[in-house]
Amino acid sequence: MKLLAVHPGPLMYTQIYLRLEPLGLEFVAEAARQAGHQVQLIDLQVETHKAYFKRIERWQPEVVAFSCNYLANVPEIIDLAKQTKEKLPHSFILVGGHSASFVPRDILEHGAGAINCVLKGEGEASIALLLQAIEHDPQSVTKTPGVVTVDGEGPPPRFVESLDDLRPARDLLRHRRKYFIGVLDPCASIEFSRGCPWDCVFCSAWTFYGRSYRVVSPDKAAADLMRIKEPNVFIVDDVAFIQAHHGFAIGEAIMKKGTRKKYYLETRGDVLLRNKEVFQFWKTLGLTYMFLGIEAIDEDGLRRHRKRVSLGTNFEALEVARSLGLTVAVNIIADPDWDEERFNVVRKWCLDIPEIVNISVNTPYPGTETWHTEARRVQTRDYRLYDIQHAVLPTKLPLPRFYEELVKTQQVLNQKHLGWTALKSTAKIAAGHLLRGQTNFVKMLWKFNRVYNPQLQLADHQRPVPYAMTLPPPPQDTIKPELLYIHAPGGRQGRAIDAVAEQFVDATRMGTSA
Ligand code: B12
Ligand code: SF4
């Protein structure tokens, strides 16, 4: 069958700092290709809707598969699906991905018949079965694990047997030079592990994978890296190098291959402290950028997010990251109940430290615990505002003031790390990029004010809401795991890794419940 895999357009964040290849969709595309289907892929982060419609008209795919990792992309996907169905009435349209997995019924309802099914969970595990059913026995589509249609639901989604069997179809992407993160321009993506054993209340990474954690074998990871042509690599793992031996083994395998690249990764403060030597080793291999999810600069905030780490540990980790000579970015979650004084304190902190501070807004997403505890308070059901750059919970300050304070705080990043300041310190790198025709990094330096603007953010709340999401049932005292998880927890691997997380919890001794 002819399958067109589609990634939706960019969100606010990707308009400045980074734009990355749709790795998850590439995995799904490759699984379909290996099952004998013809597959094409289009990424609307770098191509237009016009180009998409041209492609479907010319190629006439029988199946169109949208990737919906981000909730804010739901309306765009619904509209594209509806227009696609008008143009290709016999096509089978499906939606998969992280966010789609948490709101399948809403997606089908908004689609009003245009979307045939949502495929929940890891796409590689079920895509071949689904395509087989579509081709040979459409009645059996609902028997596919993870499938949700208006008529019924299949068995629960399955995990892939081994991450080692997977390969992303990187070759299907047409504009590979468009992907970058900061100075790492161009930049490819790679996956060394999947899932997270922690359980922060604002995050859905752990609920998607049933709090499991799986790793790619070091040799396979190195082999995949060797297939990457770009000089820079973004490691997509939720928390990089949780297991020191795994981090070392991949590093050694890469060293043996003699390849040299620059790397970006994301990790936790406690993991960095505990596995300091691994990160040191990776620095020698080319680790350049590190993102630390600090989230709060007070103990109470950390406890409320159930981050299971202490402030002292996080600050110590920052010191270690600095001593490694890496470019470090940290994330802080702005709570809607912040007032001027609180913003002021955070702003001062952002100015005092050398790191890049990214400020996101506390947002209850479907799939997170806060979605169940906070959903009654949400002020909007407009998917587009669920991008952690908008306030969807009631703000203590009037909303226009909240956005003014938020953007003023985010401005610190602009002052310190973008514009002429950045160009001065990266002049040589920037000149090198330009000589090679890579313009993503240089262009990003002056975009801040066009994208981050309190008036624009406020105006986003005034737009008519074409599709409104359904709120969860009233909160209970305890949230049942089956309400949260996409892939059911359990199995030997899941338990084994829980023990890894517990080690960290013991070490940091936060004494939080749950
Ligand atoms: C790496 C990452 C990023 C990277 C790049 C991701 C990319 N290439 O698009 C960067 C740093 C850019 C990023 C940015 C943001 N991110 Co992010 N990100 C992740 C992270 C950690 C891993 C994603 C990943 O690549 N996983 C590895 C691949 C292999 O898995 P995958 O993409 O999920 O794909 C699998 C399935 O989802 C499914 N699947 C995917 N597509 C399809 C399609 C079909 C048809 C099918 C059947 C299946 C399927 O099968 C795939 C293979 O198993 C996730 C957390 C997580 N674990 O999912 C958060 C996560 C997706 N991000 C999140 C958020 C909030 C953001 C931002 C909005 C943050 C911000 N500061 O503004 C931005 C917006 C980015 C944008 N698109 O514009 C949230 C999403 C919340 C939501 N419900 O919308 C997540 C879940 C983290 C969290 N806190 O809970 N992100
Ligand atoms: S440690 Fe990171 S990925 Fe894991 S649950 Fe917390 S925020 Fe999510």
Side-chain angles (χ1 to χ4, degrees):
M1 294 184 94
K2 281 159 71 174
L3 176 135
L4 179 63
V6 189
H7 190 281
L11 302 179
M12 208 170 142
Y13 194 66
T14 27
Q15 288 181 35
I16 308 186
Y17 311 112
L18 46 82
R19 190 184 306 118
L20 287 153
E21 67 177 304
L23 193 69
L25 188 62
E26 290 170 16
F27 275 122
V28 179
E30 183 60 24
R33 196 159 61 169
Q34 280 183 10
H37 301 280
Q38 291 178 58
V39 184
Q40 291 197 3
L41 197 153
I42 184 165
D43 180 3
L44 303 178
Q45 294 181 102
V46 299
E47 292 201 54
T48 59
H49 283 194
K50 206 170 144 200
Y52 164 75
F53 287 115
K54 223 172 170 182
R55 182 91 75 102
I56 60 166
E57 235 149 76
R58 281 212 187 130
W59 197 51
Q60 300 277 313
E62 294 153 282
V63 180
V64 179
F66 290 96
S67 177
C68 182
N69 270 357
Y70 299 98
L71 207 64
N73 282 128
V74 167
E76 180 194 359
I77 291 173
I78 304 285
D79 288 340
L80 282 174
K82 285 181 176 171
Q83 292 172 61
T84 304
K85 203 62 154 200
E86 268 171 32
K87 292 181 196 294
L88 304 174
H90 301 296
S91 61
F92 187 100
I93 300 184
L94 74 125
V95 184
H98 190 99
S99 283
S101 301
F102 292 109
V103 292
R105 295 256 159 236
D106 275 359
I107 288 184
L108 292 168
E109 196 177 301
H110 302 321
I115 297 168
N116 297 78
C117 81
V118 170
L119 185 55
K120 295 193 293 179
E122 284 182 331
E124 312 94 328
S126 299
I127 190 72
L129 282 175
L130 177 65
L131 293 174
Q132 195 183 9
I134 298 168
E135 193 169 16
H136 301 293
D137 182 12
Q139 299 301 321
S140 70
V141 160
T142 39
K143 293 191 185 129
T144 313
V147 153
V148 183
T149 70
V150 278
D151 301 323
E153 205 161 314
R158 289 198 310 219
F159 277 126
V160 289
E161 275 176 26
S162 162
L163 297 187
D164 288 353
D165 302 337
L166 311 179
R167 214 185 214 224
R170 293 199 181 85
D171 59 300
L172 291 181
L173 224 45
R174 281 189 175 174
H175 303 280
R176 295 201 60 92
R177 284 173 58 175
K178 296 265 188 190
Y179 302 100
F180 79 107
I181 174 159
V183 292
L184 305 189
D185 178 14
C187 188
S189 296
I190 199 164
E191 183 180 45
F192 292 155
S193 70
R194 211 173 256 190
C196 174
W198 281 272
D199 57 353
C200 306
V201 294
F202 60 86
C203 180
S204 55
W206 60 280
T207 57
F208 185 79
Y209 293 114
R211 217 174 161 199
S212 67
Y213 177 76
R214 291 160 295 157
V215 296
V216 179
S217 308
D219 286 348
K220 294 279 180 188
D224 193 30
L225 191 81
M226 293 306 287
R227 287 191 285 267
I228 290 179
K229 296 193 182 77
E230 285 82 352
N232 306 302
V233 180
F234 180 106
I235 302 170
V236 300
D237 303 15
D238 292 311
V239 184
F241 305 145
I242 294 179
Q243 298 173 340
H245 63 89
H246 185 239
F248 274 125
I250 298 178
E252 275 153 14
I254 289 172
M255 214 159 73
K256 260 194 227 146
K257 304 258 184 204
T259 183
R260 174 109 198 142
K261 293 188 190 286
K262 287 189 176 158
Y263 302 93
Y264 168 105
L265 58 76
E266 307 196 349
T267 196
R268 290 172 50 104
D270 46 3
V271 173
L272 171 61
L273 276 191
R274 185 173 272 244
N275 297 341
K276 207 169 12 192
E277 292 75 18
V278 181
F279 294 91
Q280 250 159 4
F281 177 43
W282 270 80
K283 164 82 181 152
T284 67
L285 294 175
L287 178 59
T288 309
Y289 255 107
M290 178 184 284
F291 187 94
L292 280 175
I294 297 281
E295 328 299 6
I297 55 170
D298 61 312
E299 292 285 6
D300 188 46
L302 287 173
R303 205 167 293 119
R304 270 188 286 129
H305 298 318
R306 204 199 287 129
K307 193 72 196 176
R308 298 186 189 270
V309 74
S310 70
L311 207 54
T313 301
N314 272 347
F315 287 155
E316 211 184 316
L318 264 183
E319 289 291 339
V320 169
R322 274 172 210 157
S323 71
L324 290 177
L326 302 170
T327 303
V328 184
V330 302
N331 188 61
I332 297 293
I333 302 176
D335 207 88
D337 72 5
W338 282 11
D339 55 13
E340 276 105 347
E341 205 187 314
R342 186 73 197 142
F343 271 112
N344 228 338
V345 170
V346 174
R347 213 155 31 233
K348 217 174 145 308
W349 184 77
C350 297
L351 277 166
D352 283 349
I353 64 164
E355 283 74 27
I356 300 167
V357 185
N358 176 58
I359 314 271
S360 56
V361 182
N362 199 0
T363 305
Y365 274 110
T368 62
E369 265 192 47
T370 47
W371 175 242
H372 293 272
T373 52
E374 301 285 332
R376 294 286 125 187
R377 299 203 299 131
V378 304
Q379 301 294 293
T380 168
R381 295 194 286 142
D382 185 348
Y383 294 94
R384 295 165 302 181
L385 299 179
Y386 285 72
D387 64 351
I388 67 175
Q389 300 302 325
H390 289 85
V392 303
L393 290 173
T395 50
K396 190 168 183 177
L397 290 173
L399 195 56
R401 282 292 304 134
F402 179 84
Y403 280 132
E404 277 167 26
E405 287 292 323
L406 176 72
V407 174
K408 206 163 130 193
T409 314
Q410 290 168 325
Q411 271 286 357
V412 176
L413 187 159
N414 187 27
Q415 281 161 25
K416 283 186 1 189
H417 304 283
L418 298 173
W420 291 108
T421 327
L423 195 62
K424 260 188 263 162
S425 57
T426 55
K428 228 171 119 188
I429 302 173
H433 286 342
L434 291 176
L435 279 175
R436 280 180 285 110
Q438 282 298 136
T439 55
N440 300 309
F441 168 63
V442 177
K443 276 189 195 154
M444 97 173 196
L445 297 178
W446 281 275
K447 276 190 184 164
F448 188 91
N449 291 328
R450 247 182 296 150
V451 178
Y452 287 82
N453 174 329
Q455 273 87 39
L456 292 180
Q457 255 149 292
L458 199 61
D460 289 340
H461 288 257
Q462 313 307 327
R463 293 176 295 191
V465 181
Y467 308 110
M469 62 176 123
T470 308
L471 294 178
Q476 311 287 317
D477 285 347
T478 51
I479 300 157
K480 294 199 182 87
E482 54 271 28
L483 265 182
L484 287 173
Y485 292 126
I486 293 299
H487 286 278
R492 202 165 49 82
Q493 267 178 326
R495 283 199 299 274
I497 290 306
D498 259 4
V500 175
E502 290 313 325
Q503 268 180 15
F504 281 93
V505 179
D506 285 350
T508 48
R509 285 260 165 255
M510 282 297 295
T512 41
S513 58

